[in-house]
Amino acid sequence: MERVMGGGMLPVVLTSLGVVLLYRILVRLRKGASVQGAVVVITGASSGLGKECARVFHAAGARLVLCGRDAARLQQVVQELTASSANTQKQTHTPCTVVFDLAKTDTVERAAEEILKCYGQVDILINNAGISYRGNILETHISVQRDVMETNYFGPVALTQALLPSMVRRCSGHIVVISSVQGKIAIPYRSAYAASKHATQAYFDCLRAEIERYGIPVTVISPGYIRTNLSVNAVTGDGSKYGVLDRTTATGWDPRDVAREVLKAVRQRSKDVVLAGPLPTAAVYLRTLWPALFFKLMSSRARKEQKPKDE
């Protein structure tokens, strides 16, 4: 047996490892698919990460359909994008806008029809819109848990399922969802938000497996903290606005950098991308490999905070 491993199997193993390593290098180096002319739908496009994604994909030549609740703010984004591309030689397209509230799932079907009327198809759907939460479970009304779930989970699910048949008929398209590291690990005083993102991760993992046969990739992107107003606009246990820019949010990723990573993930048809620092990334692995220690650390964190406040 030792002779076989030493003289016969070892070179084969080393060769196989070399092939795997080369493949991974080539994957990282590849430019990926172009989004020039692709119809890209972005929810929550009037501010934060959604607005930055609009900038990045517009500059890349995509035909945008910007979605949000405020028509005036969406139109302002359109004007900014049009002005930014006025002096560029690269071909760009004036975005369309569709106004609707993702949390009101009974309106999503109509919104999907309007989206499809813009260009007749959807090539890339970026489910970005969402709301955060800060609260103690003991003091949080069940209606708040439902409201967060409506926006962060049922809304993207409803829009995806409304647009998916048109992609399946063409055997073409790409579904993207902006989840969160908290869709992989749960931290104290974020129950509604973490629960909605865990559900999102599970649903789109299932979707990826089910529609792979149609050539439609599904990308789940899980960022850590991003410098947006997400914490300011977060809801609390009684449904009121949190109104505080957390320190962790204020020092988080630049949304422009995250938007560029979203474009990169789309081009490379990545399946699951975590965009976080060393500690959150390590925590994701710790939750799987050493759950007892992870739970102990989270309990300690909860005791130190005692109430939802800046981390």
Side-chain angles (χ1 to χ4, degrees), residues 245-259:
L245 181 64
D246 288 338
R247 175 183 55 81
T248 46
T249 301
T251 58
W253 280 52
D254 188 320
R256 291 172 294 183
D257 293 334
V258 178

Side-chain angles (χ1 to χ4, degrees), residues 182-225:
Q182 292 183 51
K184 296 180 179 292
I185 57 173
I187 64 176
Y189 307 114
R190 302 291 186 275
S191 61
Y193 183 74
S196 69
K197 293 301 184 179
H198 271 69
T200 296
Q201 178 81 51
Y203 172 87
F204 285 94
D205 281 353
C206 292
L207 180 66
R208 183 187 300 111
E210 292 184 23
I211 65 175
E212 184 180 19
R213 73 190 76 175
Y214 302 111
I216 302 172
V218 174
T219 300
V220 178
I221 298 177
S222 302
Y225 295 105

Side-chain angles (χ1 to χ4, degrees), residues 106-178:
D106 57 337
T107 68
V108 170
E109 196 77 38
R110 175 196 57 79
E113 293 175 0
E114 288 189 37
I115 289 169
L116 287 170
K117 286 178 182 177
C118 291
Y119 295 105
Q121 66 187 57
V122 171
D123 297 307
I124 302 165
L125 168 61
I126 300 179
N127 289 295
N128 165 75
I131 188 171
S132 193
Y133 156 88
R134 304 289 189 274
N136 185 319
I137 289 175
L138 289 173
E139 299 170 357
T140 298
H141 196 276
I142 191 64
S143 63
V144 173
Q145 301 279 1
R146 286 199 181 100
D147 289 344
V148 174
M149 192 67 75
E150 286 288 348
T151 300
N152 291 356
Y153 176 70
F154 286 111
V157 167
L159 184 59
T160 297
Q161 293 193 180
L163 294 174
L164 189 58
S166 66
M167 294 184 178
V168 170
R169 283 193 295 270
R170 297 168 51 233
C171 287
S172 178
H174 191 158
I175 304 293
V176 181
V177 60
I178 307 300

